[in-house]
Amino acid sequence: MKPYKIILPLIFLLALVGCTKNFEDINKDPNAITADEASARYFITVPQFKLFAPDRYPYWRIHLIHCDRFAGQFLFGHNYSWWNDGLGYSYNSAYTDAGWDFLAGYFGQLDNFLKLTAPGGDFENEYMYAVGLIMKGMYYQMYTDVFGEIPYSEAGDPDILLPKFDTQMDIYKGIIADLDAAMATIGSATRTGDGVDDLGVNDIYCQGDLQQWKRMANTLKLRIAMRALGAPGNDFSTNAIAQALGAPLLSGASDNILMEKDNVISQWTSAAYSDVWQNFGDAAGWTLGKELVDYMRDNNDPRLPKYAKPAKGGTFTFVRPASGSDYDLFPKRVDYMEQVLTDAGAVVTRVDNGDQVTMGIEANKYYIGQPVRLNGFIKPLVRMEFFCTPADEIYAKKGTGQKIREELVMSSAEASFLKAEAIVRGLTGGNAQAEFEAGITSAMKLWGVADGAIATYIADEDLADITGGTTDEKLEKIAVQRWIAAYTDGFEAWAIVRKTGYPASLAAGVADFDIYAPGDINGVYPERLKYGTSAYSQNGANLNIAIGRQGPDDMDTKLWFSKP
């Protein structure tokens, strides 16, 4: 893929041109791009990478601090970390505002592409417009699943300065309507045009392949419809599910949609995990969550060494505080940490000597996940060396030639898992186990797992078998596999937990505040982010109407899709 930095100067020039009333004005400059050379394709790259990899400020604050961590997959709170793992569970306006401002402010970039390609636009192209509608659906699904009610139907209308907030049900319906329109427009077409009218390599999701866009749109439709299933007042999902299952979905390992990371682009244009960890070291680094590592280790998942590195290990001495509650609780907390290591299969050496405890594990041998939401009082005992950290490619440093893990846009594994769920729920016919296995296979191939290892996992592991058990047990396995497969896509992994209640230990929240951080929500699992302060200052009247419908602007207020 061409580095984004090569494309950006042309995008910027064309953006300036696109603001003129008469496109032919550019011919006044003999050195300018001619009308025959200009195309809307130069306006799609930025909205694409900005949606999944914005600059470091929001990438750190909403992707990592909130979504990845609420998903239970990445954790802070180890001894080197600037923060305990309660970060994010207590409201912080700066962090929350970064997420709100990113998502609320994103639409303008995509809206520009839509206006340029719409009927009567400077670069009118029905197929490019269809692609824009699909991206709009991806964006709004992400946006509403974080906050709930948001401006949607009136957003982007130049005549409405203060757009109303729409209900999540209406937003879901609107997204599906746009997806249906886009798929109908695409029909059997394969490209958006010839020459400069072909999105081609400027489309960093599908490289201009309209049929893959159509399959992605249908998979997104199925995701949204399945998420709405059972929500109060839902009157559309059953039909939408049937429609989606009757049309092509993403299928097979070659249909996974990934966004390649640019190795040299500035972190202030498009960030990667490395722009957090590599710039600030272990103080900003993170470990992997206990639920994720436990499911993978205990079920011999061959992806584990591709997701994570084993605990570095070592031997460390912990000194009991001189007085106070930390003195009283020191034995409990040390015993808890030892138990976490032992439960993961580690052989722990421990020597108690008065007010000191020395504890250690063998180096680079054990896969151990850190428990979520550990509080600041236990933090000195939470040695980073005791826990798994991400595999190197996940936070590889830019500009070194190392491969940086791609952003996961949408996977064919998800389509197979959703089909398996629909069959188990009796919404359609088919072989649920076959679809389940197809999902596992695609998810593992996404990480380069060999065919033989995949076959062994499917044959041997109970977590890969839904041929027996109750309906709830089957749905739990499907949900857990979807959640594991969503690794590095915290937005979706968090939504899976909220909708399904699995992994159950994660969704249950925390209760022992000698060990865990309660946050502002008394230990319960977070259901959403609070609205940004700019929503109150700029559109407060409409926001308050939304809050009146949705419920208090708190992190434990359930969104429409996750209500029983």
Side-chain angles (χ1 to χ4, degrees), residues 17 29 49 78 102 128 137 151 175 183 256 271 297 301 328 337 359 384 406 417 451 496 539 545:
V17 172
D29 180 357
F49 73 70
H78 55 79
F102 156 60
M128 289 188 185
I175 294 172
M183 290 188 285
N256 288 311
R297 182 196 62 239
D301 194 315
D328 296 334
M337 290 303 303
M359 193 182 304
M384 190 181 196
E406 301 92 341
F417 290 139
D451 290 343
I496 290 167
N539 198 4
I545 293 171

Side-chain angles (χ1 to χ4, degrees), residues 298-420:
D298 296 346
N299 291 279
N300 300 303
D301 194 315
R303 287 169 293 185
L304 182 53
K306 297 177 181 297
Y307 278 26
K309 294 183 289 189
K312 184 181 291 186
T315 300
F316 307 94
T317 298
F318 307 108
V319 180
R320 189 172 189 170
S323 62
S325 61
D326 288 341
Y327 174 89
D328 296 334
L329 291 170
F330 181 77
K332 175 182 179 177
R333 289 169 177 159
V334 170
D335 289 348
Y336 170 83
M337 290 303 303
E338 181 182 15
Q339 193 64 51
V340 168
L341 302 179
T342 301
D343 287 348
V347 175
V348 181
T349 61
R350 175 174 171 172
V351 176
D352 291 58
N353 183 15
D355 286 340
Q356 294 186 354
V357 176
T358 300
M359 193 182 304
I361 60 173
E362 190 174 339
N364 303 312
K365 181 175 182 179
Y366 302 111
Y367 284 94
I368 307 171
Q370 180 183 315
V372 300
R373 298 174 73 169
L374 296 178
N375 65 32
F377 304 108
I378 198 173
K379 184 171 176 284
L381 308 179
V382 187
R383 294 295 311 194
M384 190 181 196
E385 294 90 346
F386 285 161
F387 301 106
C388 291
T389 51
D392 287 338
E393 71 169 346
I394 293 170
Y395 66 107
K397 189 173 184 177
K398 289 180 181 176
T400 62
Q402 299 178 78
K403 181 182 184 298
I404 302 175
R405 183 69 192 177
E406 301 92 341
E407 295 283 350
L408 176 58
V409 176
M410 185 167 281
S411 71
S412 59
E414 181 176 7
S416 296
F417 290 139
L418 290 171
K419 288 171 71 175

Side-chain angles (χ1 to χ4, degrees), residues 158-486:
D159 296 325
I160 300 177
L161 296 179
L162 300 175
K164 69 177 182 178
F165 284 61
D166 294 271
T167 67
Q168 190 165 62
M169 182 169 72
D170 287 341
I171 295 167
Y172 274 20
K173 285 181 173 181
I175 294 172
I176 288 176
D178 279 346
L179 295 174
D180 285 342
M183 290 188 285
T185 296
I186 291 172
S188 60
T190 58
R191 311 298 298 184
T192 55
D194 298 322
V196 295
D197 291 325
D198 182 5
L199 284 177
V201 295
N202 296 80
D203 169 14
I204 56 176
Y205 294 173
C206 301
Q207 292 71 53
D209 182 345
L210 283 179
Q211 290 305 304
Q212 189 175 44
W213 273 105
K214 189 176 179 180
R215 294 190 297 275
M216 178 165 63
N218 197 41
T219 304
L220 179 59
K221 177 179 177 176
L222 182 60
R223 172 198 284 178
I224 292 170
M226 292 291 287
R227 187 156 296 160
L229 203 63
N234 168 34
D235 59 358
F236 67 91
S237 63
T238 302
N239 287 338
I241 291 166
Q243 291 167 3
L245 292 173
L249 298 157
L250 294 174
S251 177
S254 62
D255 230 6
N256 288 311
I257 299 176
L258 304 174
M259 189 186 85
E260 186 177 342
K261 302 290 283 188
D262 191 300
N263 207 284
V264 295
I265 196 169
S266 166
Q267 63 188 310
W268 300 116
T269 299
S270 179
Y273 286 126
S274 63
D275 293 318
V276 177
W277 196 321
Q278 300 289 357
N279 284 347
F280 299 98
D282 288 345
W286 54 92
T287 59
L288 269 69
K290 183 178 186 299
E291 282 79 7
L292 179 64
V293 176
D294 284 358
Y295 270 117
M296 301 184 81
R297 182 196 62 239
D298 296 346
N299 291 279
N300 300 303
D301 194 315
R303 287 169 293 185
L304 182 53
K306 297 177 181 297
Y307 278 26
K309 294 183 289 189
K312 184 181 291 186
T315 300
F316 307 94
T317 298
F318 307 108
V319 180
R320 189 172 189 170
S323 62
S325 61
D326 288 341
Y327 174 89
D328 296 334
L329 291 170
F330 181 77
K332 175 182 179 177
R333 289 169 177 159
V334 170
D335 289 348
Y336 170 83
M337 290 303 303
E338 181 182 15
Q339 193 64 51
V340 168
L341 302 179
T342 301
D343 287 348
V347 175
V348 181
T349 61
R350 175 174 171 172
V351 176
D352 291 58
N353 183 15
D355 286 340
Q356 294 186 354
V357 176
T358 300
M359 193 182 304
I361 60 173
E362 190 174 339
N364 303 312
K365 181 175 182 179
Y366 302 111
Y367 284 94
I368 307 171
Q370 180 183 315
V372 300
R373 298 174 73 169
L374 296 178
N375 65 32
F377 304 108
I378 198 173
K379 184 171 176 284
L381 308 179
V382 187
R383 294 295 311 194
M384 190 181 196
E385 294 90 346
F386 285 161
F387 301 106
C388 291
T389 51
D392 287 338
E393 71 169 346
I394 293 170
Y395 66 107
K397 189 173 184 177
K398 289 180 181 176
T400 62
Q402 299 178 78
K403 181 182 184 298
I404 302 175
R405 183 69 192 177
E406 301 92 341
E407 295 283 350
L408 176 58
V409 176
M410 185 167 281
S411 71
S412 59
E414 181 176 7
S416 296
F417 290 139
L418 290 171
K419 288 171 71 175
E421 180 181 348
I423 295 168
V424 169
R425 290 186 180 277
L427 300 172
T428 188
N431 186 328
Q433 178 65 25
E435 295 295 346
F436 191 48
E437 291 181 11
I440 292 170
T441 299
S442 291
M444 290 191 173
K445 283 185 173 292
L446 189 62
W447 288 84
V449 177
D451 290 343
I454 297 172
T456 299
Y457 178 84
I458 290 173
D460 293 350
E461 300 303 326
D462 182 66
L463 193 58
D465 182 11
I466 57 171
T467 58
T470 66
T471 295
D472 284 345
E473 288 169 341
K474 293 176 182 179
L475 292 175
E476 178 177 3
K477 290 179 182 179
I478 294 168
V480 168
Q481 289 286 4
R482 280 186 66 201
W483 176 75
I484 294 171

Side-chain angles (χ1 to χ4, degrees), residues 62 91-104 143 146-147 149-151 165 528-540 543-544 547 553-554:
I62 187 168
Y91 172 67
N92 180 300
S93 61
Y95 294 153
T96 300
D97 285 355
W100 172 262
D101 293 344
F102 156 60
L103 285 169
Y143 188 7
V146 171
F147 294 101
E149 297 195 12
I150 52 173
F165 284 61
R528 59 181 294 274
L529 290 187
K530 297 181 69 169
Y531 290 112
T533 55
S534 64
Y536 283 94
S537 63
Q538 297 173 9
N539 198 4
L543 173 58
N544 285 324
I547 291 171
D553 186 17
D554 296 320

